[in-house]
Amino acid sequence: KEYVKSSPKTKTLISWYDLYEGHHVTLKEEFQKKLFQEAVKKAGDFSSLGRKIILGRKTISGCSKQLRNPTIKTLKKVAEYLNYSLEEINNKIITVGKSSNFEPIFPFNLHTSEGAEIRAAFLSDGHVDKNPVKPLQYCAYEIELHERLIKICKETFGEFETKTFFGHKTYVTRFPAAISTALVLSGVPRGDKGKLNPYLPRDILLGDREMQAAYLRRAFDDEAHMRFDLKHKKRTIRLVRSTDITGKVGEPKISEQWIRIRNLPKNVKHNLLEGENILLSNFGIETKTYSVGIYLSKKNNITAKWKIELGNQDSLQKFYKHINFTVKDKKKKLSKALTSYQNKKL
């Protein structure tokens, strides 16, 4: 209950007017002309309308003649001046964004299993830029994870063009900038997640088991390591996350090297990992959570790393039954690990 209270509230049903106001929108031609011409008629002329809603005469003229696309801010001003329902404009929008290759399906509904999975991906291997007009990035080595994320993003947000390419160390996919505000409203922060230390989105914490399983499946696909070493009797799943704790602990004497510390101060914790542990417990999955250590960088930033570990047969079986992996290699290792228990009994 305390964790849920600390987790910020989320908005998961997102309409066009919730997005960043600087994005341009392409409207159905006749609708745009009619809307702006009605506003001009009500005000008397271009200049009068401009004074009433604080908008440039050239902008009003261009939009009423379909010579330019309005921004979300401009469209909201005109619609509100006419007392026109903002909700009814959802199906009048053709594209959003500068490149005009994003054809949205409004409203976006993120309170679904797919919505939970999308947020898990961007809370793990994704990045939402501080600048709302820059595209989102998702970085992961497994191509199958990129393909899956593109598919469910198109189902959730609408049609768009993208390419997956190999970057410096891994594969990268870019997503439309207009999606970023929807993710932020639903619990994914802008900027460096390592410094922001976000919580697990509240609606997922309070959601049904299907949503929670979808979130965990993606988080473990992105961030977990499945170890199966029969020779050394190792059958474990480990989910590892880290966060910046500069100023919260004393500075280590050795820089650029991980220092093992099992017990960090109580005020130092990884919020997302704690939420994921709560979700696992909802499925009766026992875990061990512990600090791996801390790292001092050249710039004197201190990073702490934690692990969630599933290491007994019962937990692995429940994980396999309720959550499992979609990454083929991890899924295969987990299946082999469980089979090895059965062979041992025989």
Side-chain angles (χ1 to χ4, degrees):
K1 289 182 179 179
E2 289 302 316
Y3 185 90
V4 173
K5 287 180 182 178
S6 299
S7 179
K9 290 182 180 179
T10 54
K11 180 171 185 176
T12 54
L13 195 63
I14 316 294
S15 291
W16 67 273
Y17 51 83
D18 295 310
L19 303 184
Y20 170 62
E21 291 188 330
H23 287 308
H24 286 80
V25 295
T26 305
L27 295 161
K28 292 180 179 178
E29 187 174 350
E30 291 306 313
F31 173 75
Q32 180 172 323
K33 283 183 179 179
K34 184 179 179 181
L35 188 75
F36 277 82
Q37 287 171 3
E38 282 185 12
V40 171
K41 184 178 179 181
K42 180 180 177 180
D45 53 47
F46 291 147
S47 298
S48 299
L49 178 60
R51 287 193 296 271
K52 288 177 185 292
I53 63 175
I54 313 174
L55 199 61
R57 187 183 181 282
K58 286 185 178 180
T59 298
I60 297 169
S61 175
C63 290
S64 64
K65 297 173 183 177
Q66 201 75 28
L67 298 175
R68 66 192 300 175
N69 294 330
T71 62
I72 287 176
K73 185 177 182 179
T74 296
L75 183 57
K76 282 170 71 175
K77 283 185 175 183
V78 173
E80 287 170 349
Y81 176 68
L82 291 171
N83 294 318
Y84 193 94
S85 169
L86 300 183
E87 297 293 339
E88 287 187 21
I89 298 176
N90 271 333
N91 62 4
K92 303 290 195 300
I93 294 172
I94 300 171
T95 67
V96 178
K98 206 168 186 179
S99 64
S100 295
N101 71 356
F102 174 41
E103 301 172 10
I105 306 169
F106 289 118
F108 306 147
N109 183 11
L110 286 156
H111 189 67
T112 61
S113 295
E114 292 77 14
E117 182 179 346
I118 290 167
R119 285 179 282 169
F122 282 99
L123 282 165
S124 298
D125 285 338
H127 174 70
V128 181
D129 202 278
K130 288 182 179 180
N131 186 338
V133 298
K134 285 195 173 182
L136 295 79
Q137 284 198 150
Y138 175 75
C139 305
Y141 193 75
E142 297 87 354
I143 285 290
E144 58 199 290
L145 291 178
H146 289 264
E147 291 173 344
R148 167 72 182 168
L149 185 58
I150 292 168
K151 178 179 179 291
I152 60 175
C153 277
K154 286 185 176 183
E155 291 171 353
T156 302
F157 299 114
E159 192 59 41
F160 55 86
E161 295 176 9
T162 190
K163 289 181 180 179
T164 300
F165 60 94
F166 195 81
H168 179 56
K169 293 181 179 179
T170 189
Y171 288 99
V172 180
T173 302
R174 293 198 174 106
F175 293 82
I179 292 173
S180 68
T181 303
L183 290 179
V184 171
L185 290 171
S186 61
V188 182
R190 292 190 186 276
D192 188 342
K193 300 187 296 292
K195 291 184 178 180
L196 295 168
N197 197 11
Y199 283 80
L200 199 145
R202 185 182 291 192
D203 72 292
I204 297 174
L205 283 164
L206 301 174
D208 59 32
R209 284 165 66 92
E210 189 177 342
M211 271 185 69
Q212 293 179 356
Y215 174 92
L216 287 170
R217 190 176 302 115
R218 188 67 190 212
F220 276 79
D221 273 339
D222 276 9
E223 301 288 9
H225 172 67
M226 174 68 222
R227 185 181 180 188
F228 173 50
D229 182 350
L230 195 56
K231 182 180 178 181
H232 297 94
K233 299 180 181 179
K234 295 291 184 182
R235 305 175 184 89
T236 56
I237 300 174
R238 290 174 178 170
L239 178 65
V240 183
R241 293 196 184 277
S242 58
T243 191
D244 189 298
I245 59 166
T246 306
K248 295 182 180 179
V249 296
E251 190 174 296
K253 294 179 181 180
I254 305 171
S255 65
E256 296 186 78
Q257 182 177 319
W258 282 101
I259 301 171
R260 296 181 72 84
I261 295 180
R262 287 291 183 180
N263 297 306
L264 287 165
K266 290 184 178 180
N267 67 322
V268 176
K269 58 184 179 179
H270 196 289
N271 296 326
L272 192 58
L273 205 64
E274 186 178 348
E276 288 160 347
N277 223 346
I278 292 170
L279 294 191
L280 288 166
S281 69
N282 291 344
F283 292 91
I285 298 172
E286 293 182 6
T287 64
K288 292 180 181 178
T289 304
Y290 53 89
S291 165
V292 178
I294 60 175
Y295 180 89
L296 177 66
S297 72
K298 281 184 179 180
K299 296 182 179 179
N300 292 323
N301 292 322
I302 304 172
T303 301
K305 185 185 288 186
W306 289 264
K307 285 183 182 179
I308 286 179
E309 185 173 285
L310 289 67
N312 62 57
Q313 184 178 356
D314 182 63
S315 291
L316 292 175
Q317 285 177 331
K318 286 178 179 176
F319 182 88
Y320 181 84
K321 178 182 178 181
H322 299 296
I323 300 162
N324 212 336
F325 296 105
T326 58
V327 175
K328 292 176 183 176
D329 180 58
K330 294 179 182 179
K331 192 172 186 177
K332 188 176 179 181
K333 282 184 179 179
L334 176 56
S335 182
K336 281 186 174 181
L338 292 172
T339 301
S340 72
Y341 281 117
Q342 295 169 7
N343 292 340
K344 187 178 177 181
K345 288 178 183 178
L346 292 172

